[in-house]
Each structure stands twice: as structure tokens, then as C-alpha cells.
Amino acid sequence: MTDSGFPSTTRELRSTVTEDGTLTVDVRSADVAEPGPDEVVVEIHAAPINPSDLGLLIGSADVSKATAGGDDANPSFSAPIEQGLDALAARFGQPMPIGNEGGGVVVAAGSSDAAQALLGKTVGFVSGDAYAEYRTVHVMGCIAMPDGTDPVDAAAPFVNPLTALGMVETMRMEGHTALVHTVGASNLGLMLQRICIADGIELVNIVRRPEHVEMLKANGATHVVDSSAATFVDDLTEALRATGATIVFDAIGGGDLVGTILGRIEKVAVDGAAYNRYGSDKLKQAYIYGGLDRSPTILDRTFGLTWSVAGWLLTPFLAKIGPDAQRLRQRVADEITTTFASSYGMRLTLDEAVDPANVVRYAKMATGDKALITPNA
């Protein structure tokens, strides 16, 4: 290591579940690891709370019953876990680090050329423990940003941008020509819309409120349908007919939405075709990548026999495409303030992130109210 200009300790968030059914999230101090040859130390300016972070951060705890604890130096909150405790047995008593990704400035670097090249650079990074003032991160977990990039703009370079790009890549790899996305008004949904406009891809956006329809159309979307509208099924069918979309990426998970979409794709496929007792031969593919609704996924099987429903995760996808992932990472860096720009409804220090009132707010995962943790603010 050539530069030791960083603190030896850091404040961080940890989430602990105990076997009596209590979740506690606290601010504590920890050592900052010296970087190895291929590692860097990042001074973290910002780290988002993504839906994928909430599973580890608060899990199934009832945060409406959260209570403040700790002291001024190390505040915390606790909340009861009233269901699903057995599934958490493997983490009982373990203070788990939290935060998939973040943005900051490299303040120390290991001896390798790759690490030294990042010294002083603004980077976005993925680590799994980003809710901290400082973190030691492998260079492969970093994306160097263009000079002058605000570290806040670099805070969300992996989870949403690479997921959106991965959806488009998956669509192409599997021979589809247009896609459906079920949370069109989310940060990820807006990124996906921008990608599709730039790449000339037809996209059907599904939203849950009338105002989200107008917001997406103002951002250039052509096909937006509101699942709360009485005309939803008819509107969806017409959007599918106009686009020819046959692949779905769903963040909701529970309920009958996926089944409804597959049924409408089948409806479009069989219109005007000769009767076939097995349905159309067009593959209808649905990938569930989120769990905003934790209830069972309902498939009413009105879509023939040529269909598939599976899970989709970013990390296995990146492993599957191998070296080609670098092309996607570079696009994220090049377009971090345009295509892949994120917006936030609240900014919280580490201490504010454990305030029960703030916890209740960010746990709702409300569209347009995403939280950003600013550890060094």
C-alpha cells in the first residue's frame, strides 16, 4: 500500500436478529482493513437503500412497532419479528453488515496497477457492506467514473443499472424482441425505459397509479398501463399486440399479475390462428426478480403449455455472460448522469437511518421516495 491517509476505524450499520424474535439495527465502530494488492479503501459519500437491501436490513420485522435504543454515540432501533422467524435461524446473533452498493472516493490503494489506477478516483462499488464511512473493496467491485462525477451520482451503479441492462441482454439472448416490466415508475423502470428508447426496443410499462402513467409518458414512454384501472386487462392486451412483447420481468412476485400477463400474451398469439388444444407455440417467458408482494404467485394456466416462469438474479446473469459484463459496466460509467441517473426522496446520515420514523418511511418502498444513506455527511 502506498497511501495510509484514511482512518483506522469506521462507523457502520449492522443488523442483528435474535432467537427471541427481535431485530436490532445499530450504528457501531469497526476497523478499516488495510487494502491488499488488488484492493482500495473508499471514503463513502452515498449508498442507496434498494429493495434488495431491505431483506437483510429489516427482513420481516414489523417496523411500525420499532423503538429507538442505544445512545447518542451508537444509536439503534429494535422491532419485533412476528412471522418467518424460523427462516432466519442461520443468522441468529450475528451482526450482519448491510448495503449492496455505494459511491465515494478512493483514498488508499493496494500495490497492483489496477488498484493504483483508482487512487483519488470517484467510484461506484458493490460490496454488501456499504452502509459505513469507509470500506475496503476489491478493484473488481469498483466502476471508475468520469472525472468530475459527483460521488452521489455514482452511488447506484450496480443493482439497478446492471439489472436493467441485464433484462435487455436476456431478452436478446433468448430471441425475444420486446419486453414487459411491472414496476415501470421505479428508479429501475425509468432506467429501463431510457435504455429501450436509446436502443429502439419496445417496452410495455405496468404501473400502479394514474399519475405514474403521466410521469412515464412525460419521460418518453409509449406503452404504459395502469394495473389499478378498470380497463387494465384490455389496455395490457392492446399494448402487447402493439409491441409483440413475449418476455416479462416482474418485481411484484405475489398475486396473479404474472399469470394475467402470460394469459394476455397468449391471447394476442392465438387471435386469428387455428385452434390448438395445447395453445400457441410462442414461448411466453416470465422472470420474477423481486418480491414487493410476499403472497403466493398465482398462475391460472390460461396460456397454453409453451411457457416458463423462473427467477432472475443479477449476479448469476453476470457470471453467465463472463467478460462481456465489462461492456455493460462501461456503459454504466459513460451514462451515469443520464441513462442511469437515480433520484431520492430522502437523504439520511447513519444515525438518521436508525430513527424509527425514518425506518417506517423507507420500509414502504414508495415510488419516488427512495432513501440514500450519506455516511460522511
Side-chain angles (χ1 to χ4, degrees):
M1 191 190 78
T2 62
D3 187 349
S4 58
F6 64 94
S8 60
T9 60
T10 181
R11 299 180 83 227
E12 64 176 14
L13 290 185
R14 292 271 176 159
S15 172
T16 308
V17 172
T18 52
E19 55 187 316
D20 68 352
T22 302
L23 166 84
T24 300
V25 179
D26 66 302
V27 181
R28 60 177 65 191
S29 294
D31 293 335
V32 179
E34 292 275 340
D38 290 315
E39 293 179 323
V40 296
V41 177
V42 181
E43 179 185 82
I44 301 169
H45 292 221
I49 299 180
N50 293 306
S52 55
D53 294 308
L54 287 175
L56 187 59
L57 177 62
I58 60 176
S60 58
D62 184 353
V63 295
S64 69
K65 299 177 181 178
T67 57
D71 52 36
D72 288 344
N74 300 105
S76 67
F77 78 86
S78 295
I81 300 173
E82 298 172 344
Q83 58 182 359
L85 185 62
D86 289 347
L88 301 174
R91 60 170 289 194
F92 286 167
Q94 299 183 51
M96 308 291 288
I98 331 157
N100 283 320
E101 62 182 346
V105 177
V106 174
V107 294
S111 58
S112 73
D113 290 345
Q116 285 293 304
L118 294 177
L119 190 59
K121 296 283 189 179
T122 294
V123 297
F125 67 91
V126 60
S127 67
D129 56 4
Y131 300 158
E133 294 169 328
Y134 294 86
R135 279 297 184 228
T136 303
V137 183
H138 195 279
V139 292
M140 291 303 295
C142 297
I143 297 178
M145 297 294 162
D147 291 345
T149 301
D150 187 328
V152 171
D153 290 331
F158 279 89
V159 175
N160 284 346
L162 290 179
T163 295
L165 287 170
M167 290 174 179
V168 172
E169 292 292 313
T170 299
M171 179 203 74
R172 289 173 171 148
M173 290 164 56
E174 298 185 359
H176 304 271
T177 59
L179 65 156
V180 181
H181 186 228
T182 63
V183 285
S186 65
N187 266 338
L188 190 156
L190 291 171
M191 290 180 190
L192 182 60
Q193 180 61 62
R194 296 180 202 125
I195 293 167
C196 289
I197 290 173
D199 293 5
I201 297 167
E202 295 273 29
L203 171 65
V204 177
N205 295 281
I206 297 177
V207 298
R208 293 180 282 183
R209 295 181 182 177
E211 58 266 33
H212 294 161
V213 175
E214 299 309 314
M215 184 264 284
L216 269 168
K217 288 188 173 180
N219 280 273
T222 302
H223 305 287
V224 190
V225 292
D226 178 5
S227 62
S228 70
T231 57
F232 169 61
V233 172
D234 290 338
D235 296 341
L236 174 61
T237 305
E238 290 310 305
L240 293 170
R241 196 184 311 280
T243 61
T246 51
I247 185 170
V248 183
F249 289 91
D250 172 53
I252 308 299
D256 63 359
L257 182 57
V258 165
T260 298
I261 299 167
L262 293 178
R264 292 295 92 190
I265 296 174
E266 176 73 358
K267 168 66 175 172
V268 171
V270 300
D271 275 356
Y275 172 73
N276 186 328
R277 59 181 170 169
Y278 300 117
S280 75
D281 60 3
K282 185 178 291 294
L283 175 62
K284 297 158 286 288
Q285 175 69 60
Y287 285 112
I288 297 174
Y289 74 95
L292 296 177
D293 182 342
R294 297 292 183 177
S295 66
T297 303
I298 301 170
L299 302 176
D300 60 10
R301 300 288 299 277
T302 60
F303 33 81
L305 290 174
T306 309
W307 58 274
S308 176
V309 176
W312 192 96
L313 286 172
L314 177 59
T315 302
F317 167 76
L318 294 175
K320 181 178 180 180
I321 65 173
D324 205 35
Q326 181 55 37
R327 172 175 57 86
L328 306 186
R329 290 162 60 105
Q330 188 58 53
R331 182 171 181 180
V332 172
D334 292 343
E335 303 174 29
I336 194 65
T337 59
T338 53
T339 306
F340 304 107
S342 293
S343 60
Y344 304 95
M346 65 186 101
R347 299 191 182 196
L348 306 170
T349 65
L350 291 172
D351 291 358
E352 290 168 342
V354 297
D355 182 307
N358 291 328
V359 176
V360 169
R361 182 176 165 186
Y362 64 66
K364 293 178 180 178
M365 296 183 286
T367 299
D369 202 31
K370 188 171 186 175
L372 185 73
I373 294 181
T374 54
N376 277 284

